[in-house]
Amino acid sequence: MTNRFYVTTPIYYINDVPHLGTAYTTIAADVLARYHRLRGDETRFLTGTDEHGLKIQRVAAEQGLDPQVYADGLSAKFRAAWPRLGCAPDDFIRTTEERHMRGAQKLWSTIKDAGHIYLGHYEGLYCVACEAYYTEKELALTPGLCPVHKTPVETVKEESYFFKLSAFQDKLLAYYEAHPDFVRPAGRFNEVKSFVKEGLQDLSVSRTTFNWGVPVPGDDRHVMYVWFDALSNYMTSLSAPEDNTRFWPAIHFVGKDILRFHAIFWPAFLMAAGIELPKQIFAHGFLTYCGEKMSKTLRNTISPVELAEAISPTVGVDTVRYCLMRAIAFGQDGDFAIKDVLQRYESELGNNLGNLLNRVKPFTKEVLPAGEPGQPEADLLQAVTRTVDAAAKAFDDLNPTGAITIIFEVLTLANTYINDTAPWIAHKKGDLKRVATIMSPLLVVLEVASVLLAPVMPQVAARVREQLALAPIDWSKHEALWPFTLPVRPEGLVVKGGDQLFPRMEPEKIEALIKAFSPPPKSTDVTEAAPATTPSTTETTVTAAPAEATEPRVRAPIEAMPTISYEDFARLDLRVGIVVAAEKVKKKDKLLDLRVDTGDAAPRRIVAGLAAAYTPEQILGKRVVVLCNLAPRDFGKGLVSEGMILAASDEASLKVLGVDGEKIAGAKVS
Ligand code: ME8
């Protein structure tokens, strides 16, 4: 019987572009999907975008865009980002697609026909960013504010369809009891059980206050609650365009923030519709940045593609994948730190994996008959066999961190084996048979590693295989390649060699990476720096900065402007603004189309000639100084700028003016 594996990520909200946090889930799902492909399982990996709801309708309106046009643009960014991170989903579903809307309506009708949906009224405290209601109790620690986003909740009252969630309390508890691995990790499963035991209330599953959603079948005054719509994607993707329903049930990978929706609501909907429940729901932890969840709303995100490209055009993507999977035990929280990434690049990837390949290359350029293997050779091969089994167990157990640790242990053993057997001595003596004997298990280690590491580092694995003169892995075939039987190297196959896998980084590059991907220093850093007698890091950075300009730059003569009165100056409405959205203007390569939060009811549109100096990703989230009462300027085709961002320019560059510290949007500049 064919084994099947169906893994899903959450479908991401499109209120911004993908970041390292969302990449974390997607990469984890890709790693597991690739592992199953290598096991020969029929595998399906689904991701996509969640495009309905008030949040999206509002952002689109703020940008003066039709929600569908807005959704098309943002969804395309998600679709394009994943292959650039080595991820190969089998399907990318969008909730605005016809196939999905039809599927969601079918699920609704099945549940309604079974008598589990009724019409009523709802009043509650709603967080638009979560698209969820909160009880007073849940807001006890953050009165009036969403506990996740720290933004105000709104009181919402509306006619609504309700799902009879209360009727599923006992059924859910019985199911949990019978399926002890339904939710993992176990600690989170306990939280889910406690929540259900406290009692479930019926769930409001439709909205009338906005219309950007899937119409409720038979009552188009209502659109479906975005979570009802979104959760159904895991099934709707299987029904169209072709029938893939054989893949159900799925394993859902989700962040811990949305576990309740997946472990309570979703199973209850499925029970109500008479559909088999998911195989498992795995809630992983948060990727944090300086201890805070990396999130679009908190504006502390890092672009994974930019990070990967900055590390290396060849192995940057796999370095990012490796670090995310290795550094953060799957299920726990973990902080992103560029220094940690650089350290792993050098010590684990460079000094262990890269070094092993390098050390083998000089002794394997020709085919030589090997002698009888001795104890060290036999020991190493046994360790490889154990590694193949143990890594498979770890991946089967959804523990990529464990799998990587196990695989790297055998690489360390192989490096120690080279130290102990010292092939260079035999080589110097001209004992080439001994050299070949020593090399023989090392070639097995490297070939096996090129498969075992392929789920996490597909491009690096391909490079290792190329250098070893092995055929590339064909991911499109569901071929069982996991080396439970150790490979035998064909006679006559010499090692091709090639560039270093992880070349040592120059100190300047390391410094530039640290600078680019470290959090901005807090405003207090300068005043809290070490006493003046000891040079502090802050001081070093400050004094080092002017040295960047190696040649003294000659300033053009300045033409003084006429003097103005203080009253003239006071008429300028200068404020701190935060760039909340940015994109290039088509066919105008100097312009960026920005939305800047200047403390007004809605972000203002500013069209700025900054495209040569900043990419949209670089300017996003920046605190800038905005002249807010400048007369609007029309750039044509509806492109009207409502202010000006102050920037300093000389012949060399153009830089926007920032503000020290974390001043709020709208803070007065004078
Ligand atoms: O919740 N660390 O979408 P979303 C780890 N549309 N994972 C993170 C993360 C971080 N800092 N930030 C985001 C939604 N994620 C809904 C889902 S599914 C039917 C609907 C990941 O764009 C994590 O998987 O807010 C989290 O659960 C998901 O992105 C939330 O993405």
Side-chain angles (χ1 to χ4, degrees):
M1 201 186 88
T2 324
N3 282 328
R4 290 204 181 89
F5 181 75
Y6 175 30
V7 64
T8 69
T9 72
I11 46 170
Y12 301 107
Y13 286 132
I14 49 162
N15 53 346
D16 205 344
V17 291
H19 60 78
L20 207 53
T22 39
Y24 180 65
T25 320
T26 317
I27 290 171
D30 185 73
V31 167
L32 265 296
R34 284 183 190 271
Y35 162 70
H36 280 273
R37 288 185 217 286
L38 291 174
R39 292 295 305 273
D41 298 342
E42 200 189 353
T43 302
R44 187 176 172 83
F45 160 27
L46 171 70
T47 189
T49 42
D50 186 355
E51 305 182 11
H52 287 130
L54 183 56
K55 177 161 52 178
I56 306 300
Q57 183 169 320
R58 276 192 187 164
V59 181
E62 276 164 19
Q63 302 200 7
L65 293 174
D66 173 73
Q68 188 64 60
V69 173
Y70 172 80
D72 290 347
L74 263 291
S75 177
K77 291 196 174 152
F78 277 85
R79 193 191 288 267
W82 304 139
R84 293 178 75 187
L85 293 168
C87 298
D90 296 283
D91 191 7
F92 183 99
I93 191 148
R94 301 182 54 190
T95 54
T96 52
E97 282 176 83
E98 189 58 33
R99 62 168 173 151
H100 169 77
M101 311 235 293
R102 253 186 286 119
Q105 287 179 325
K106 193 171 155 212
L107 182 69
W108 176 286
S109 300
T110 310
I111 298 176
K112 179 134 195 301
D113 293 348
H116 299 298
I117 288 178
Y118 63 92
L119 192 60
H121 278 91
Y122 193 85
E123 180 166 355
L125 298 166
Y126 195 72
C127 169
V128 177
C130 294
E131 295 284 11
Y133 282 103
Y134 282 95
T135 60
E136 297 280 3
K137 195 172 147 203
E138 287 166 323
L139 303 186
L141 290 177
T142 53
L145 298 179
C146 162
V148 177
H149 297 95
K150 315 282 184 316
T151 45
V153 289
E154 299 172 20
T155 303
V156 173
K157 180 169 185 190
E158 54 183 322
E159 181 189 88
S160 173
Y161 283 95
F162 283 84
F163 171 72
K164 284 188 188 163
L165 186 62
S166 56
F168 289 87
Q169 180 175 346
D170 293 340
K171 288 182 194 136
L172 283 170
L173 288 173
Y175 191 88
Y176 297 156
E177 199 57 36
H179 299 83
D181 285 334
F182 182 57
V183 174
R184 286 184 57 205
R188 298 219 187 284
F189 198 9
N190 289 338
E191 289 166 21
V192 169
K193 288 179 202 164
S194 310
F195 186 86
V196 175
K197 277 181 194 152
E198 274 185 27
L200 294 176
Q201 289 174 5
D202 289 352
L203 182 71
S204 159
V205 284
S206 76
R207 299 283 181 269
T208 53
T209 44
F210 60 92
N211 59 10
W212 183 238
V214 180
V216 164
D219 188 351
D220 56 15
R221 293 170 306 138
H222 289 252
V223 291
M224 287 179 197
Y225 169 45
V226 70
W227 273 100
F228 187 98
D229 162 3
L231 286 161
S232 64
N233 90 89
Y234 303 129
M235 300 288 310
T236 61
S237 142
L238 296 181
S239 306
E242 71 266 356
D243 182 10
N244 277 305
T245 44
R246 66 185 181 286
F247 282 100
W248 189 254
I251 292 186
H252 298 312
F253 280 7
V254 298
K256 62 182 181 181
D257 50 336
I258 55 173
L259 177 59
R260 199 178 293 177
F261 300 97
H262 285 81
I264 302 173
F265 297 178
W266 179 226
F269 296 159
L270 291 169
M271 278 178 177
I275 298 172
E276 187 182 356
L277 266 49
K279 195 183 285 172
Q280 193 169 64
I281 298 144
F282 193 102
H284 63 70
F286 284 156
L287 187 66
T288 59
Y289 194 36
C290 306
E292 286 254 41
K293 181 189 175 204
M294 198 177 275
S295 97
K296 294 171 264 204
T297 322
L298 298 179
R299 298 198 189 110
N300 61 348
T301 58
I302 286 185
S303 153
V305 174
E306 268 177 34
L307 174 64
E309 278 168 4
I311 292 171
S312 150
T314 50
V315 291
V317 166
D318 281 4
T319 303
V320 171
R321 290 170 67 102
Y322 171 82
C323 289
L324 288 178
M325 292 299 104
R326 168 84 190 231
I328 306 160
F330 203 50
Q332 322 254 305
D333 288 350
D335 205 52
F336 170 83
I338 184 68
K339 286 191 178 155
D340 181 53
V341 172
L342 295 172
Q343 149 112 46
R344 286 181 194 280
Y345 175 94
E346 189 184 312
S347 63
E348 293 163 18
L349 297 173
N351 292 349
N352 199 349
L353 172 61
N355 194 32
L356 183 62
L357 183 59
N358 266 352
R359 295 173 89 188
V360 166
K361 279 189 244 172
F363 303 111
T364 47
K365 286 189 185 136
E366 52 192 320
V367 189
L368 295 165
E372 273 302 300
Q375 197 57 46
E377 286 71 39
D379 287 349
L380 184 56
L381 287 178
Q382 262 182 22
V384 180
T385 307
R386 284 197 303 273
T387 301
V388 173
D389 290 343
K393 281 203 182 77
F395 277 127
D396 284 336
D397 195 31
L398 304 186
N399 178 8
T401 320
I404 298 173
T405 311
I406 290 163
I407 300 164
F408 270 73
E409 273 165 14
V410 87
L411 298 179
T412 307
L413 270 186
N415 271 307
T416 311
Y417 163 88
I418 302 193
N419 296 346
D420 295 346
T421 51
W424 48 90
I425 296 179
H427 194 259
K428 209 168 171 185
K429 283 190 200 153
D431 185 355
L432 298 186
K433 194 168 183 179
R434 174 73 191 132
V435 173
T437 313
I438 296 172
M439 286 301 126
S440 172
L442 289 170
L443 288 171
V444 175
V445 173
L446 283 166
E447 181 167 349
V448 165
S450 78
V451 180
L452 267 48
L453 287 172
V456 178
M457 297 194 283
Q459 291 173 29
V460 166
R463 288 166 76 87
V464 172
R465 292 184 73 80
E466 206 208 331
Q467 297 210 6
L468 294 177
L470 297 168
I473 292 170
D474 183 349
W475 293 98
S476 65
K477 288 192 192 156
H478 295 278
E479 230 182 324
L481 293 178
W482 202 256
F484 287 116
T485 309
L486 295 190
V488 178
R489 204 167 163 83
E491 287 277 329
L493 197 63
V494 295
V495 169
K496 257 172 62 184
D499 293 344
Q500 290 221 26
L501 285 183
F502 300 96
R504 205 163 279 282
M505 285 187 198
E506 297 297 326
E508 298 76 42
K509 179 167 177 179
I510 294 179
E511 207 177 303
L513 279 163
I514 292 176
K515 206 166 158 189
F517 296 99
S518 294
K522 295 241 160 74
S523 55
T524 48
D525 283 359
V526 176
T527 44
E528 285 173 8
T533 44
T534 343
S536 71
T537 7
T538 323
E539 283 168 343
T540 319
T541 322
V542 170
T543 48
E548 267 176 27
T550 41
E551 282 180 37
R553 282 194 268 138
V554 183
R555 205 170 49 195
I558 294 171
E559 243 188 73
M561 308 271 287
T563 307
I564 59 166
S565 67
Y566 178 76
E567 282 70 27
D568 285 339
F569 173 71
R571 288 169 57 214
L572 302 179
D573 181 1
L574 289 167
R575 292 186 226 161
V576 171
I578 299 173
V579 181
V580 293
E583 59 183 272
K584 289 188 170 154
V585 177
K586 277 197 197 110
K587 296 192 187 151
K588 305 249 184 200
D589 46 13
K590 288 201 182 131
L591 297 184
L592 287 181
D593 186 4
L594 308 172
R595 295 295 178 288
V596 184
D597 180 357
T598 45
D600 302 294
R604 66 177 64 215
R605 183 178 212 173
I606 297 183
V607 181
L610 292 170
Y614 297 87
T615 63
E617 290 77 20
Q618 284 168 335
I619 194 112
L620 198 66
K622 271 201 189 305
R623 281 183 164 69
V624 292
V625 177
V626 181
L627 176 57
C628 291
N629 59 342
L630 187 69
R633 180 165 171 206
D634 193 344
F635 286 82
K637 298 206 172 141
L639 209 59
V640 179
S641 184
E642 298 166 347
M644 187 167 83
I645 292 180
L646 302 195
S649 64
D650 57 17
E651 290 85 346
S653 67
L654 178 69
K655 295 281 174 216
V656 294
L657 261 61
V659 279
D660 212 7
E662 301 203 341
K663 288 277 162 286
I664 57 164
K668 191 168 166 49
V669 177
S670 53

